[in-house]
Amino acid sequence: MAGGLTVLALPPFSWLIVVPVAFSALFLVLRQVSTVPAFFIGWVFGMGQFGIGISWIAESFYVDAERFGALAIPAVAGLSAGLAIFPGMAAMLFATIMQRRAFGGIAANLLFATCWAVTEWLRGHILTGFPWNLAAYALVDYAALRQPAAWVGSYGLGFLTVFIGILPGVLTVAAPKRRAPVLVLFAVAVTGLWVGGALRSGQDVPPTDVALRIVQGNVPQVEKWAPGSRERTLEKYLGLSAQPGRFDVLLWPETAFPGFLDEDAAARARISAALPDGRILLTGAPDRVEGDGGTRYFNTVQAYDSSGEVLTGYAKHHLVPFGEYVPLKGWLPIERLTEGLGDFTPGSGPRTLAIPGAPLVAVAICYEIIFPGQVVDDLFRPDWIFNATNDAWFGTTIGPEQHLASARMRAVEEGLPVVRAANTGISAVIDAKGEIIARLETGQTGVIDASLPTALAPTPYARFGDWTLLALICAVWALAFTVGLAGRRFNSEKSKSEDS
């Protein structure tokens, strides 16, 4: 129950009160539990957390219900069971250390938060990673509270979220004479987080003079690759793009064109006719390359100008297992959920694109936006991030809202605006503080005309990445050790004076 409650702390609910309730419950149960039971308790907590939190994945199996519908529940259950291993590891590590060295009060709280942060980081990296619904995302709808991610990233902010969230639990079991320091620490931590974040959220982020037009075609996934649908889809996107208004950059979502656009001269000619001189289209489209080893397929974003020629492009490098490729294909008798002639090939990694008439742009296609520190080319910093996505797979579930939360946290971490073009929503313009400037909801058809927000200076997290998490944990432990040592000396000297 406690694990399932954590979902209510995340968008679209964002009930912050759930954080201390859920995590304090887990912490209090684990305080005097041995290693093996602790792993099981943490795993059960994780089953609630992920079983509800990623239940929307089942929706994608019903897009082609005849082939994949029967796999929906087993797939969600299996994935949840695998992801629940990480909370289980956090609980086991916490219990193991507590058995060997009895930490009390705030130190035990700090130990648990450290174990949780470490295993969240591992979840974001092991087996290609899946850092979905990190603890920090409970703060994404609170302007001031999400800002510390600019300094310590989402993993570091998750550490602080869990540490502060457990303090009420510590308070309930603390001895009466030790409750005052816990209350003071809670007040100081919350106030410090809020004030520090408020200072950053108060920065002015004016719009640039670059005009964007985001097109949300709202094409149902079941129709997207149906025979004869390509013409209807292209007509829809061209019609929406031609609405009155000025734009410098036109943005279409992931696989907006359901075919190989760079090979379709007629389609490119129609697109170029709809682009005023000097305007650029960034659109998602599949691509293929012939080579000695056969045909390789890529999920790309391609840039076109009014001549209809490809200017540049980006190939998705962080692919979705079973959606864009099948891991261990020779061993697993499982098909991909998506249409296509073969598995996609990953691109070379984050890349900054230079396009005429617009600032430098990084591209993150769909799933890639969920990975902290893995979206931007560190050697060639862009001025904004374009997130082309297709959340039509997930219908009107909570999945698109959770996906949007990840995009907002990437904006804060990198100090860069994020612009989302989604096939069925949620399309949005997000400034460098994670604030949503404009949005189109799931299931809506339309366009967003907005100015590109200004980028902020590179954040500490943008400069140092996840090293900031290590620095934060070490600094907090050093502070706790120093305060504890000073307290013991003070009590010792006080006892000596009383004896004399």
Side-chain angles (χ1 to χ4, degrees):
M1 290 177 63
L5 276 176
T6 61
V7 180
L8 296 178
L10 304 167
F13 311 105
S14 296
W15 297 354
L16 201 53
I17 187 62
V18 170
V19 173
V21 173
F23 283 101
S24 290
L26 179 60
F27 170 74
L28 293 175
V29 169
L30 291 173
R31 285 173 61 247
Q32 296 179 333
V33 176
S34 60
T35 300
V36 175
F39 175 83
F40 178 73
I41 291 168
W43 183 83
V44 171
F45 181 93
M47 280 298 292
Q49 177 186 6
F50 296 110
I52 298 175
I54 63 170
S55 59
W56 47 266
I57 290 177
E59 188 80 11
S60 62
F61 288 83
Y62 295 116
V63 171
D64 190 349
E66 186 175 338
R67 293 170 62 198
F68 301 111
L71 298 175
I73 294 176
V76 171
L79 180 58
S80 299
L83 293 172
I85 290 173
F86 292 97
M89 289 170 56
M92 180 178 68
L93 183 61
F94 172 72
T96 301
I97 297 174
M98 285 289 288
Q99 281 183 309
R100 296 185 178 183
R101 179 170 181 173
F103 286 100
I106 293 172
N109 178 351
L110 185 56
L111 174 63
F112 181 86
T114 302
C115 294
W116 189 270
V118 168
T119 54
E120 275 203 333
W121 186 91
L122 290 173
R123 176 160 64 88
H125 292 80
I126 290 178
L127 297 177
T128 77
F130 189 64
W132 194 274
N133 286 353
L134 300 176
Y137 296 172
L139 309 180
V140 72
D141 280 329
Y142 300 87
L145 295 181
R146 67 174 176 260
Q147 301 308 318
W151 306 311
V152 295
S154 289
Y155 298 118
L157 185 55
F159 166 79
L160 295 174
T161 301
V162 173
F163 176 72
I164 295 173
I166 294 175
L167 284 173
V170 174
L171 190 64
T172 63
V173 295
K177 65 179 181 180
R178 294 185 177 180
R179 287 176 182 171
V182 176
L183 281 171
V184 171
L185 178 61
F186 181 78
V188 170
V190 172
T191 302
L193 202 64
W194 196 292
V195 171
L199 292 174
R200 185 177 190 274
S201 65
Q203 293 184 71
D204 187 29
V205 184
T208 67
D209 58 0
V210 177
L212 306 175
R213 170 165 290 179
I214 304 168
V215 179
Q216 183 166 297
N218 193 28
V219 179
Q221 189 62 37
V222 71
E223 298 178 10
K224 193 172 185 67
W225 298 96
S229 67
R230 185 179 303 174
E231 176 62 25
R232 293 193 301 272
T233 299
L234 182 58
E235 283 286 348
K236 191 168 194 177
Y237 274 96
L238 288 174
L240 290 167
S241 302
Q243 290 185 10
R246 171 188 168 272
F247 63 83
D248 299 304
V249 182
L250 180 64
L251 301 169
W252 290 3
E254 180 185 18
T255 59
F257 185 80
F260 301 105
L261 182 56
D262 59 338
E263 300 176 13
D264 193 330
R268 295 201 315 274
R270 294 172 64 186
I271 290 172
S272 64
L275 280 176
D277 289 340
R279 306 304 186 256
I280 301 297
L281 167 68
L282 286 175
T283 180
D287 193 16
R288 60 185 173 188
V289 175
E290 302 291 343
D292 295 337
T295 304
R296 293 188 299 159
Y297 298 93
F298 299 89
N299 186 356
T300 72
V301 163
Q302 299 169 357
Y304 292 87
D305 63 9
S306 56
S307 71
E309 296 301 317
V310 179
L311 300 176
T312 186
Y314 164 80
K316 186 176 184 180
H317 74 278
H318 221 134
L319 302 177
V320 181
F322 303 105
E324 293 172 313
Y325 75 103
V326 178
L328 304 174
K329 191 172 184 179
W331 298 86
L332 298 177
I334 300 175
E335 296 181 74
R336 278 174 45 207
L337 293 177
T338 55
E339 297 285 345
L341 300 176
D343 283 5
F344 284 109
T345 299
S348 58
R351 184 183 177 197
T352 299
L353 304 183
I355 55 177
L360 298 173
V361 59
V363 177
I365 299 177
C366 193
Y367 177 71
E368 292 181 312
I369 201 68
I370 75 171
F371 292 90
Q374 300 181 42
V375 175
V376 171
D377 183 351
D378 294 330
L379 300 178
F380 195 22
R381 180 175 166 83
D383 298 296
W384 59 298
I385 300 169
F386 174 45
N387 177 211
T389 188
N390 177 20
D391 288 356
W393 289 98
F394 312 121
T396 56
T397 64
I398 59 177
E401 287 279 2
Q402 294 176 352
H403 201 184
L404 176 65
S406 291
R408 296 175 70 183
M409 292 303 283
R410 299 299 84 75
V412 177
E413 289 168 353
E414 300 293 343
L416 297 173
V418 174
V419 181
R420 300 190 86 224
N423 177 32
T424 54
I426 303 167
S427 297
V429 178
I430 305 164
D431 72 14
K433 300 181 295 182
E435 194 69 30
I436 297 176
I437 306 302
R439 65 186 280 168
L440 274 174
E441 301 297 338
T442 301
Q444 288 187 330
T445 302
V447 302
I448 294 176
D449 286 332
S451 296
L452 176 68
T454 302
L456 295 176
T459 64
Y461 185 77
R463 293 178 182 274
F464 304 110
D466 291 331
W467 289 108
T468 60
L469 170 64
L470 181 61
L472 173 66
I473 291 175
C474 291
V476 175
W477 272 103
L479 178 62
F481 178 79
T482 302
V483 171
L485 184 62
R488 285 193 294 271
R489 286 181 176 176
F490 175 79
N491 291 333
S492 175
E493 291 176 1
K494 184 177 179 181
S495 298
K496 289 180 180 178
S497 64
E498 289 176 351
D499 291 341
S500 62

